[in-house]
Amino acid sequence: MQTATETMLNIKINGKELQAKQGETILDVAKRNNIHIPTLCYHDDLCLSGICRVCAVDVEGQRLLQTACNTPVIPEMVVNTNSQRVRKARKMILELLLSEHVGECTTCKRNLNCELQELASLYGIEEVRFKKPEEKRFPIEENSPIVRDNDKCILCRRCVRVCEEIQEVEAITPVGRGKETSIGCLYDLTLDETVCVFCGQCINRCPTGALTEKDATKDVWRAIEDPAKHVVVQTAPAIRAALAEEFDVPPGERVTGKMTAALKMLGFDTVFDTDFTADLTIIEEGTELLTRLKKALVDKSDVSIPMFTSCSPGWINYIEHHYPDLLSNLSTCKSPQQMFGALIKTYYAQKKGLDPDSIVSVSVMPCTAKKYEADRPEMTDSGYKDVDYVLTTRELARMIKQAGLDLMEIEDAEFDAPMGISTGAGVIFGATGGVMEAAIRTAYELVTGREVPFENLDIKPVRGMDGIRAASVTITDPSPEWSFLDGAEVKVAVAHTLSNARKLMDEVREGKSPYHFIEVMACPGGCLGGGGQPIPTAPDIRKKRAQAIYTEDDCLALRKSHENPAVKQLYEEFLGEPNGHKSHELLHTHYTEKSNW
Amino acid sequence: MQRSRLLSPICEYTELLNRAFSYQPQAIVELIKDSGLRGRGGAGFPTGLKWDFTAKAEGKKKYVICNADEGEPGTFKDRVLLLESTDKLIQGMTIAGYAVGSNYGIIYLRAEYKWMLNDLMNKTDEMKNRGYLGKNILGKDFDFDIEFRLNAGAYVCGEETALIESLEGKRGEARNKPPYPAQEGYLGYPTVINNVETFCNVPYIICHGAEEFKKFGTDKSCGTKLFSISGDCEAPGVYELDLGSKVQDMLDLVGSRNTKAVQIGGAGGATASEKDFDKPICYEGYPPGGSIMIFNKSRNMVHVLRNFMEFFEEESCGQCTPCREGTKRLTDAVIRIDRGEKLNDEEMKTLLELAEVMKITSKCGLGQTAANPFVYIYENFREDF
Amino acid sequence: MKTFEIDRDVMEIAGRYQKAKEYLLPILQELVGKKGYLTEKIIRDVAKEMNISPNEVYGVATFYSFIKTKPTGKYVIRICQTIGCDLAGKDELIKALEKELRVKCSGTTDDMMFTLEKTNCIGMCDQGPAMLINDEVYARMDSKKAVELVKEYKAKENS
């Protein structure tokens, strides 16, 4: 990214005198002044690439067109974004891209939300003067949660850049040269044969339908339509903060009640809230952390500190591939999705007198890695597949649209009890730093009997969008059971995106990490920026989703996980005690090293 | 008229270097500026200015890179220079290093010339042994060493930023500019990149001065130039001629008769037909990259065009849309024409429009020039279509 | 952790270049010189040695036409296809060699001895048709000379 210093200069775009900062690009200035310049390879989250050439504009005195995305402004520059040769060039470039873009719009998941389609329509492409290939040139790869259809790829490389720059995973790369160039893996390996973590960030950056999630809607419809099945759905906290975007509502609108109502109208028998098991996670994970600290500080036994959160399945895949030596630092807690799955077919089935075999457990997640997680062979502690189908936010939106529902016009409804009852601490799991904040709210109180010393329970240092954030809480005057923590400064850190996680992990590996507890979310912004969320994504969109999530927390009466009455009831009726025998059986898991290439 | 500034000895090695070292580095930059020497790879950027930018750029290290990735169809003059004027090249690079404050030279040689690598390395070793390269050259407080690196069969790496990417162990894809290599080049350090022939001109300027250098050529195109002349003629080979020489002069020189077309400046250059043979080859005339390919009247220019287009299609790096897709589309069309198909006016109009868009929107010189032969040959030899 | 035995040549060559990323190309070139072409295992080993992603190595390797990632003969015969050599008769040269080697252009002989392919301008336009056999250049060729030359290579191999 360019760093703009504050020296101002004057330029002219389309005859308009404009002020620009030194270091800005033509595109920056145009955007700020609501002058639309088309882009494809450009993305707010990524480094400049300048390869699609669709943003080419006329600059006075230049024989060649200049690409707006990477041409810095200079004093007295005169730009025309709409000259005849610019329009001709744009149209030609779009035609060239369309001539290589093979696939039917009408059967594409990205129909009506495709950047190429939009530009083609905007620039009036009525015919493509070059012949399209008559047959598919690439097989569709669909043996993982991420479906790749290279025939629709326009080689903008946004997927490659997000995988490389933001995640540092490098699961995909440009292969070959010239017209033979394609995006792929070495020796045509499929994604499941690489170190891909299935975070789906590539899907969110893809301008076309070349990258999509593996569809589960058909399976879910089938289950709903089967009268013998009792279909239970859980929805993750980040869904409610983004679903409305799929219905053309600007980012930041919370639709918790409408979403719940829509799920009921779709025909789900029971609608639960993953926030419930988020609260449960806090109890289990908080207890685990305190136990680890006790083992380390009092028993002086060999225990791995810092402890890492384990809610983000992309992160779990990443650490299994890249830091297998640190697997013992991971909390053994399953993610809220999987805790939920295990309880639905045990606790809930018992409570309702249902045959677990007749229950179909569906989750709605902002995430593609959740699909992988649900399919892990170890996720069957209920005796059944704990979570049968995972839908992304986008897939849920498709189902709602298929059912002919207008989300924004639906009357609000409430989650079902008991596993629809949750606290604000569960809600904030959807944002980076949320698990940490929820954990601190509970752990501090558990240890001292007092509320955390932050105004309105808002633990601001762990909030925000900086890649890595650290905080510390000093324990004073703990209850006798926790007296060993008296005066202790508990240090925590939060990272989102895997490139940031890598920085913290390298510190841990070198024995230089000062922290006791680290939260990692694989995706930028946390789950709200997950690979299953509405497209597009950008820093400001994620900020608005985060605001929605924190507002929901703020509105709730209960904001601490340990105060969730349904969770208390769960322990009383079923689990016994936190980290107890039953918990270990159903709510905890183990990790396996995966090959690092 | 044939000259022999580049292809004959200038002066003795020690004398040359001592003379260079008698100048302050910046004075050499000024001298090169004064000489009017421009890049001999084809683009023609003023060499002195390039050196000046690099000399003034801040950097812990600086690099002097010789672009010996001569890959333009019809060009082989660097082959001759590398074989026969190795010492001039080494001198030129050393002097460039001295002028811009660099101690590291790299010769980026095309893989197709690997057969000469041993000889070149022996030559640099010999120079090292004689104290002309390495530490404290001729007792001066100046170190300069030269390393050889090879391309691996990618024409686009002749583009200077693609070359740098390749040197850094990456795919040879042109970078966004700015920053230019003079500011951030190889490994992020300020870097001078010049063609083999450009460096080979430097010793002459040092020995004889800018004025003497400027005696040949035109006002804007100073000096002599090597031309690789091939195709339908009696005496193909490398000739040193004044910049500004006319096409016909060259045809006469190599014994070409019955000439139909001359491809000037490589596949992406210009195609001259008989009516243009009195035009000059220089920076203000036909592109002076140095490649002159002659086609006589028995040749079908669509066949020639097809060969050029297939070349560009294969050598496009594939990162930017107009070049990747454009070379493919033009090639497809030319193959159809070559097979005897007649394209209608509408189709030809589309292709010419495509050619123009490739020229003005491609990211690097390859894509910007790839459609040139299509346009020139269509305009000048329509009867072959 | 799955343990891989890193190829000795990879270790030696990468080590000689201090495993520096900017020397990836010479490392791959030396490996191609030594092994004829790069296998998936070699690519993975290079990546491991240099601490970069095998995808990156593969992406670089497949960019350059002289770096082979598919089975290739011990001798690669590259016939210049660019206009000078084309007009000077490269097609006859190819036909003659296809016949002599009993292999189609872009193919490799069954004994993995020769790969015959076309290449772009090799800078011998004044002496066409020209060709390369591995790193050696042969100019002013004709069908007869080319066949004899290949026979010499064969004889050298057989002796």
Side-chain angles (χ1 to χ4, degrees):
Chain A
M1 292 275 133
Q2 305 266 354
T3 46
T5 57
E6 288 304 304
T7 325
M8 300 301 285
L9 46 91
N10 295 315
I11 71 163
K12 222 185 231 181
I13 303 184
N14 301 345
K16 237 164 79 183
E17 299 271 3
L18 298 169
Q19 286 248 302
K21 290 178 213 131
Q22 177 102 44
E24 280 189 308
T25 63
I26 297 174
L27 183 65
D28 292 333
V29 182
K31 274 181 147 185
R32 198 152 31 75
N33 290 284
N34 297 318
I35 298 164
H36 181 256
I37 297 174
T39 55
L40 278 170
C41 71
Y42 174 87
H43 194 284
D44 279 334
D45 286 325
L46 306 173
C47 279
L48 294 174
S49 173
I51 57 175
C52 77
R53 315 305 283 177
V54 78
C55 69
V57 295
D58 243 320
V59 174
E60 210 174 83
Q62 298 284 336
R63 194 170 48 90
L64 309 176
L65 298 185
Q66 308 291 309
T67 37
C69 72
N70 61 7
T71 304
V73 291
I74 52 168
E76 308 309 320
M77 190 180 229
V78 177
V79 179
N80 189 344
T81 70
N82 191 32
S83 66
Q84 195 197 18
R85 62 178 201 154
V86 168
R87 282 199 309 275
K88 262 196 172 165
R90 246 175 226 173
K91 213 170 154 200
M92 178 62 75
I93 291 169
L94 288 169
E95 271 186 72
L96 288 171
L97 289 171
L98 285 166
S99 73
E100 290 293 309
H101 174 76
V102 180
E104 285 289 329
C105 281
T106 44
T107 55
C108 180
K109 280 186 189 158
R110 291 292 297 275
N111 190 21
L112 304 179
N113 182 19
C114 166
E115 292 177 41
L116 184 62
Q117 190 184 45
E118 200 182 317
L119 289 182
S121 135
L122 195 61
Y123 290 97
I125 313 287
E126 284 159 2
E127 56 157 351
V128 174
R129 288 171 288 178
F130 308 103
K131 240 205 208 139
K132 286 199 181 215
E134 274 152 25
E135 295 174 353
K136 279 191 74 62
R137 299 152 298 177
F138 300 93
I140 295 180
E141 180 191 316
E142 47 190 348
N143 44 355
S144 83
I146 298 174
V147 178
R148 301 199 315 130
D149 183 354
N150 258 345
D151 268 307
K152 292 180 183 165
C153 174
I154 57 168
L155 296 168
C156 70
R157 304 193 187 179
R158 281 168 20 177
C159 55
V160 175
R161 279 178 282 151
V162 75
C163 197
E164 198 176 290
E165 293 167 17
I166 295 194
Q167 303 298 50
E168 290 185 11
V169 168
E170 295 182 60
I172 42 176
T173 195
V175 171
R177 185 177 78 203
K179 62 171 179 167
E180 306 293 339
T181 311
S182 66
I183 306 303
C185 313
L186 73 154
Y187 290 94
D188 292 328
L189 296 183
T190 51
L191 287 177
D192 56 319
E193 297 169 302
T194 70
V195 293
C196 175
V197 301
F198 310 116
C199 69
Q201 288 302 312
C202 52
I203 299 177
N204 289 13
R205 301 300 178 299
C206 182
T208 72
L211 291 160
T212 53
E213 70 278 324
K214 192 167 187 173
D215 183 84
T217 60
K218 291 179 198 79
D219 295 323
V220 173
W221 279 124
R222 203 175 305 120
I224 288 175
E225 281 150 14
D226 184 345
K229 296 290 183 194
H230 182 87
V231 188
V232 182
V233 66
Q234 53 163 318
T235 73
I239 317 296
R240 66 204 64 182
L243 181 64
E245 292 167 35
E246 288 281 347
F247 297 85
D248 299 327
V249 175
E253 180 92 10
R254 266 182 304 140
V255 286
T256 317
K258 292 184 193 305
M259 171 189 73
T260 312
L263 287 165
K264 291 184 172 178
M265 291 164 86
L266 288 178
F268 287 101
D269 294 299
T270 308
V271 181
F272 282 152
D273 192 350
T274 314
D275 294 10
F276 170 83
T277 36
D279 282 333
L280 182 62
T281 300
I282 290 302
I283 307 299
E284 289 292 322
E285 200 164 301
T287 308
E288 184 186 357
L289 175 66
L290 291 169
T291 310
R292 283 197 196 212
L293 289 176
K294 188 167 181 208
K295 278 187 185 159
L297 298 172
V298 181
D299 310 344
K300 309 279 177 207
S301 66
D302 190 20
V303 60
S304 299
I305 302 257
M307 185 174 91
F308 309 148
T309 60
S310 56
C311 315
S312 166
W315 154 236
I316 299 298
N317 290 337
Y318 182 76
I319 187 171
E320 285 181 329
H321 277 298
H322 293 279
Y323 293 89
D325 48 318
L326 301 182
L327 286 176
S328 64
N329 293 66
L330 270 179
S331 161
T332 59
C333 285
K334 286 182 184 170
S335 72
Q337 163 178 276
Q338 292 307 134
M339 286 196 182
F340 219 111
L343 289 173
I344 282 172
K345 294 191 181 178
T346 55
Y347 172 63
Y348 174 72
Q350 274 176 32
K351 216 172 156 71
K352 276 276 183 177
L354 290 166
D355 175 3
D357 201 26
S358 72
I359 297 179
V360 176
S361 146
V362 178
S363 69
V364 185
M365 293 286 142
C367 181
T368 42
K370 286 282 175 200
K371 287 179 187 262
Y372 177 88
E373 183 185 49
D375 288 343
R376 280 177 177 256
E378 65 269 27
M379 293 299 175
T380 51
D381 290 327
S382 64
Y384 302 88
K385 189 165 186 270
D386 293 340
V387 174
D388 293 296
Y389 305 115
V390 178
L391 298 168
T392 60
T393 314
R394 296 186 293 265
E395 288 173 278
L396 172 61
R398 280 205 289 279
M399 289 181 71
I400 295 173
K401 287 175 190 169
Q402 284 162 14
L405 300 173
D406 184 350
L407 181 77
M408 300 316 288
E409 296 303 317
I410 302 175
E411 289 276 335
D412 285 7
E414 303 249 322
F415 287 113
D416 294 316
M419 294 162 77
I421 296 168
S422 67
T423 72
V427 175
I428 58 174
F429 264 58
T432 167
V435 176
M436 185 56 73
E437 181 164 350
I440 296 174
R441 284 181 193 171
T442 287
Y444 188 88
E445 203 165 317
L446 217 65
V447 169
T448 64
R450 300 184 308 275
E451 280 195 344
V452 276
F454 285 90
E455 196 189 334
N456 190 32
L457 297 176
D458 293 348
I459 306 176
K460 294 262 167 74
V462 298
R463 295 189 181 181
M465 290 292 172
D466 289 343
I468 294 173
R469 305 180 297 282
S472 68
V473 184
T474 305
I475 310 274
T476 50
D477 202 10
S479 53
E481 185 187 352
W482 303 104
S483 58
F484 69 93
L485 285 173
D486 197 8
E489 189 191 5
V490 179
K491 292 184 178 171
V492 301
V494 168
H496 60 135
T497 77
L498 295 170
S499 58
N500 287 314
R502 174 178 288 234
K503 291 178 194 141
L504 292 180
M505 290 309 112
D506 285 341
E507 261 182 19
V508 176
R509 197 176 251 177
E510 288 164 23
K512 289 182 187 155
S513 178
Y515 305 112
H516 300 99
F517 189 29
I518 294 176
E519 177 203 295
V520 179
M521 293 292 157
C523 294
C527 304
L528 58 85
Q533 289 284 66
I535 299 169
T537 185
D540 58 316
I541 293 175
R542 296 193 292 273
K543 267 185 210 149
K544 287 185 180 137
R545 291 177 190 163
Q547 268 163 20
I549 281 178
Y550 286 114
T551 311
E552 177 135 327
D553 167 40
D554 210 33
C555 294
L556 289 170
L558 296 176
R559 298 182 58 212
K560 293 176 281 191
S561 298
H562 55 280
E563 288 177 354
N564 184 330
V567 169
K568 286 184 196 163
Q569 193 188 2
L570 169 69
Y571 278 108
E572 282 158 22
E573 291 179 5
F574 186 70
L575 288 175
E577 53 173 359
N579 286 10
H581 176 69
K582 197 125 196 171
S583 288
H584 267 290
E585 196 181 295
L586 290 175
L587 308 182
H588 289 256
T589 187
H590 59 274
Y591 307 101
T592 323
E593 178 180 347
K594 291 190 166 108
S595 96
N596 180 4
W597 287 109
Chain B
M1 193 189 139
Q2 279 203 76
R3 309 281 184 194
S4 54
R5 285 172 158 188
L6 280 166
L7 296 175
S8 65
I10 308 278
C11 54
E12 203 269 321
Y13 218 118
T14 311
E15 188 194 327
L16 175 83
L17 285 188
N18 276 332
R19 187 175 300 197
F21 293 155
S22 71
Y23 290 99
Q24 287 299 311
Q26 187 58 31
I28 294 191
V29 173
E30 295 306 325
L31 178 64
I32 300 297
K33 271 193 196 169
D34 288 346
S35 74
L37 176 64
R38 294 169 68 171
R40 295 305 199 226
F45 193 84
T47 305
L49 211 53
K50 223 180 214 187
W51 291 19
D52 201 20
F53 291 146
T54 312
K56 288 182 177 143
E58 299 273 339
K60 270 205 309 211
K61 269 186 188 178
K62 291 179 186 178
Y63 283 92
V64 171
I65 294 175
C66 168
N67 184 347
D69 190 38
E70 173 176 65
E72 190 62 46
T75 311
F76 44 88
K77 47 119 188 149
D78 290 345
R79 180 194 85 211
V80 173
L81 284 175
L82 287 162
L83 288 173
E84 295 173 15
S85 302
T86 324
D87 45 1
K88 284 204 196 71
L89 171 61
I90 297 171
Q91 289 160 353
M93 288 179 71
T94 310
I95 293 165
Y98 174 72
V100 305
S102 159
N103 312 110
Y104 307 92
I106 298 174
I107 295 177
Y108 183 81
L109 185 70
R110 64 186 313 220
E112 291 82 348
Y113 288 170
K114 196 177 170 190
W115 51 269
M116 62 171 86
L117 182 63
N118 268 336
D119 286 351
L120 290 171
M121 286 168 72
N122 288 340
K123 190 86 186 181
T124 44
D125 284 348
E126 186 197 324
M127 294 301 151
K128 231 175 276 184
N129 290 337
R130 291 167 59 187
Y132 297 136
L133 276 177
K135 289 227 168 291
N136 301 100
I137 297 172
L138 295 181
K140 275 284 277 188
D141 183 23
F142 172 62
D143 309 339
F144 192 77
D145 222 329
I146 289 177
E147 176 191 4
F148 285 91
R149 302 279 288 274
L150 284 167
N151 189 354
Y155 161 78
V156 68
C157 294
E159 197 279 343
E160 59 182 13
T161 60
L163 187 156
I164 291 174
E165 289 286 294
S166 170
L167 274 181
E168 291 182 358
K170 301 177 194 155
R171 295 162 61 83
E173 295 173 343
R175 292 179 175 177
N176 291 318
K177 288 183 269 191
Y180 291 89
Q183 292 124 28
E184 281 176 46
Y186 180 53
L187 303 176
Y189 297 110
T191 301
V192 161
I193 305 186
N194 282 132
N195 172 262
V196 175
E197 187 182 346
T198 312
F199 283 122
C200 288
N201 268 294
V202 170
Y204 185 92
I205 299 170
I206 298 291
C207 266
H208 301 283
E211 288 314 311
E212 191 61 29
F213 179 80
K214 283 199 275 199
K215 278 193 180 154
F216 300 130
T218 71
D219 284 352
K220 287 180 180 164
S221 304
C222 306
T224 57
K225 174 84 188 75
L226 292 191
F227 290 94
S228 321
I229 308 182
S230 65
D232 298 319
C233 63
E234 280 165 15
V238 172
Y239 294 86
E240 183 173 355
L241 299 164
D242 294 3
L243 274 167
S245 297
K246 294 188 168 60
V247 181
Q248 189 61 52
D249 300 343
M250 301 195 190
L251 296 178
D252 295 344
L253 192 64
V254 296
S256 169
R257 275 176 301 276
N258 220 8
T259 309
K260 178 176 185 178
V262 182
Q263 184 69 25
I264 303 162
T271 319
S273 65
E274 228 167 331
K275 66 177 171 19
D276 306 311
F277 290 172
D278 60 341
K279 290 188 183 155
I281 301 177
C282 52
Y283 298 107
E284 62 272 30
Y286 274 128
S291 154
I292 305 287
M293 290 182 277
I294 303 169
F295 305 106
N296 68 25
K297 293 197 167 123
S298 73
R299 307 296 187 184
N300 179 306
M301 290 310 287
V302 170
H303 177 80
V304 172
L305 174 60
R306 174 179 175 165
N307 190 282
F308 289 162
M309 290 320 302
E310 285 174 340
F311 172 83
F312 285 124
E313 184 190 28
E314 272 182 33
E315 296 295 347
S316 166
C317 84
Q319 65 166 331
C320 85
T321 313
C323 178
R324 179 186 66 239
E325 306 299 339
T327 52
K328 177 169 179 232
R329 294 298 167 176
L330 282 183
T331 308
D332 287 352
V334 171
I335 289 174
R336 283 167 58 202
I337 301 167
D338 191 36
R339 284 183 184 148
E341 219 178 299
K342 180 120 179 65
L343 268 52
N344 64 37
D345 291 351
E346 203 55 40
E347 279 179 289
M348 282 315 296
K349 209 181 113 201
T350 303
L351 295 171
L352 290 169
E353 191 185 316
L354 169 61
E356 174 65 13
V357 171
M358 287 168 68
K359 183 175 176 174
I360 62 175
T361 64
S362 290
K363 188 168 178 176
C364 82
L366 193 160
Q368 288 158 13
T369 59
N372 282 349
F374 182 85
V375 176
Y376 277 108
I377 292 177
Y378 180 66
E379 274 170 8
N380 290 342
F381 304 94
R382 201 160 298 187
E383 66 280 5
D384 286 1
F385 273 70
Chain C
M1 198 171 276
K2 253 195 268 175
T3 47
F4 290 98
E5 186 97 2
I6 303 253
D7 184 276
R8 275 162 181 268
D9 291 325
V10 172
M11 275 175 26
E12 190 272 318
I13 293 168
R16 198 145 32 74
Y17 289 102
Q18 286 86 45
K19 303 183 185 183
K21 165 78 202 296
E22 64 266 29
Y23 285 99
L24 179 58
L25 214 47
I27 290 169
L28 296 181
Q29 283 163 326
E30 281 202 34
L31 283 165
V32 169
K34 196 134 195 173
K35 301 183 180 282
Y37 69 100
L38 305 175
T39 59
E40 185 180 332
K41 160 92 168 96
I42 294 292
I43 296 255
R44 283 174 181 274
D45 284 358
V46 170
K48 204 155 236 153
E49 274 296 279
M50 300 181 68
N51 199 21
I52 52 179
S53 133
N55 263 342
E56 186 175 352
V57 179
Y58 187 69
V60 170
T62 53
F63 186 87
Y64 296 92
S65 39
F66 280 32
I67 296 184
K68 299 292 182 188
T69 52
K70 294 195 175 92
T72 305
K74 182 172 176 187
Y75 297 104
V76 182
I77 305 175
R78 293 184 170 93
I79 296 171
C80 177
Q81 64 179 345
T82 305
I83 193 71
C85 293
D86 175 80
L87 296 180
K90 69 124 187 358
D91 284 337
E92 287 79 67
L93 214 61
I94 293 172
K95 262 184 227 146
L97 288 179
E98 280 181 336
K99 199 173 151 211
E100 169 64 24
L101 294 167
R102 267 172 274 152
V103 69
K104 281 267 157 224
C105 199
S106 307
T108 298
T109 55
D110 291 340
D111 61 359
M112 295 300 288
M113 205 45 78
F114 294 95
T115 294
L116 180 66
E117 60 182 37
K118 292 185 267 190
T119 195
N120 283 327
C121 189
I122 61 171
M124 303 301 289
C125 323
D126 52 339
Q127 301 168 32
M131 61 189 220
L132 296 167
I133 300 184
N134 288 355
D135 300 333
E136 295 304 317
V137 67
Y138 300 94
R140 294 196 177 92
M141 296 308 286
D142 56 39
S143 305
K144 209 174 133 209
K145 276 199 226 166
V147 168
E148 266 165 31
L149 188 63
V150 166
K151 281 187 174 144
E152 277 173 35
Y153 271 86
K154 281 184 183 167
K156 200 166 73 186
E157 274 308 312
N158 291 333
S159 66

